[in-house]
Amino acid sequence: VEASRNFTNKLWNASRFVMMNLDGQTPDQLGKPTENLELADRWILSRFNQTVQQIRELLDRYAMGEAAKALYEFIWGDFCDWYIELVKPRLQSDSPSRKVAQQTLAFVLDGILRLLHPFMPHITEEVWHTLTQSGDDRFLAVQAFPAVDAGAIDPDLEQQFELLFGAIRTIRNLRAEADIKPGVKIQTVLQTESDREQQILTAGQAYIQDLAKVEKLTIAQP
């Protein structure tokens, strides 16, 4: 019961944050994110489509428990804990990338509500009506279930983000061990013997600096 309540609160808070940052626009008005996608956008769309594929396969086998678990992990981890945090700086800017972040947030949240509706019909119906600004004559229950966009799935990119997230977790843990206050920015050196890892960390440098509160980040080989 407590876990269900926590998840409901997490979903509600994430949905409210997304809707507060859409400038009153609906997913249909914003349009599907297809152009000028940043790495984080491509990553969450890949994870979303992987999840849609997995949920569809599990539901075809009537594996409701496994489907609910997979969906829970995507919503709580990938969407709430990572993607929303990754795009917050873009939502506070006036750059064109803000519109792309809004499109991606709206598109994925709409998909999440459609996927989750069979498991949590009441809250998803309420949130979906607010998100889409639908009238009383439209119902989430009769909307199309998300289809898989195979072209958006990028396993290599997902692996790259696992490396970035691992680096962020490590820096956060070291900060906690050193009792560094959350608002204090630090200087950090990341070392790797792999050229490939160095390229990935460099490409995601802005994400590491923002989420781990790093002022100066040096990425080098030992």
Side-chain angles (χ1 to χ4, degrees), residues 140-184:
L140 175 56
V142 296
Q143 302 305 310
F145 204 69
V148 180
D149 179 2
I153 297 176
D154 188 340
D156 182 63
L157 182 63
E158 292 183 29
Q159 288 185 352
Q160 292 178 37
F161 269 80
E162 283 304 310
L163 176 64
L164 295 177
F165 295 153
I168 292 168
R169 291 190 193 98
T170 298
I171 296 171
R172 285 175 171 177
N173 290 339
L174 291 173
R175 289 178 61 105
E177 290 175 10
D179 198 24
I180 299 174
K181 294 181 179 179
V184 176

Side-chain angles (χ1 to χ4, degrees), residues 20 24 98 109 185:
M20 286 175 58
R98 181 173 186 268
L109 178 58
K185 291 195 173 183

